Amino acid sequence: MPREYQSFDAFWLYYLREHSRPQTRALHYFGTTLVVAIAIVAILRGPLWMLLLMPIAGYFFAWVGHFGVEKNRPATFTYPLWSLQADFKMWWLWLTRRLGPELERAGVRHT
């Protein structure tokens, strides 16, 4: 039975622990970057139907990471909105090179 989280901060630490392997995080970064690229291209150049590809691009790589690398169940099944928020937070902190302290706070070893 999944644990109930009452705050995003508590969920965030759980989310990071569920992404403990660098390969899993890398697949998430790739998928999230692809989602952002699709959104930019679709909005600036069209066609807007390309926006429908965003969930496919994001979830495909994330789920490969969870089922193939991490061997766990994606948190998005239980906490869809917080998972989406955490994914973009993790991606942004990685992009700005500030993820390390958050991984440490969650008890995740990183290199």
Side-chain angles (χ1 to χ4, degrees):
M1 179 140 186
R3 186 171 170 196
E4 299 255 343
Y5 292 97
Q6 302 301 319
S7 70
F8 177 76
D9 190 58
F11 172 79
W12 167 243
L13 297 176
Y14 160 76
Y15 182 88
L16 290 176
R17 288 188 293 271
E18 292 294 294
H19 298 80
S20 64
R21 295 182 180 209
Q23 302 92 331
T24 303
R25 292 192 303 274
L27 286 162
H28 275 66
Y29 304 149
F30 185 81
T32 304
T33 301
L34 190 55
V35 164
V36 171
I38 289 169
I40 291 169
V41 169
I43 291 168
L44 295 180
R45 310 218 56 205
L48 290 179
W49 66 260
M50 286 178 58
L51 295 172
L52 298 174
L53 299 174
M54 290 170 49
I56 296 167
Y59 286 125
F60 175 78
F61 293 101
W63 290 359
V64 166
H66 285 288
F67 294 121
V69 177
E70 204 77 44
K71 308 285 191 229
N72 62 16
R73 187 173 184 263
T76 194
F77 293 157
T78 310
Y79 295 93
L81 296 179
W82 277 356
S83 290
L84 182 62
Q85 181 181 347
D87 184 64
F88 277 98
K89 179 177 181 173
M90 182 174 71
W91 176 76
W92 182 253
L93 290 174
W94 166 75
L95 203 61
T96 59
R97 300 186 181 274
R98 296 180 296 141
L99 184 59
E102 292 295 298
L103 291 171
E104 290 173 13
R105 189 165 76 97
V108 175
R109 288 185 52 199
H110 66 94
T111 54

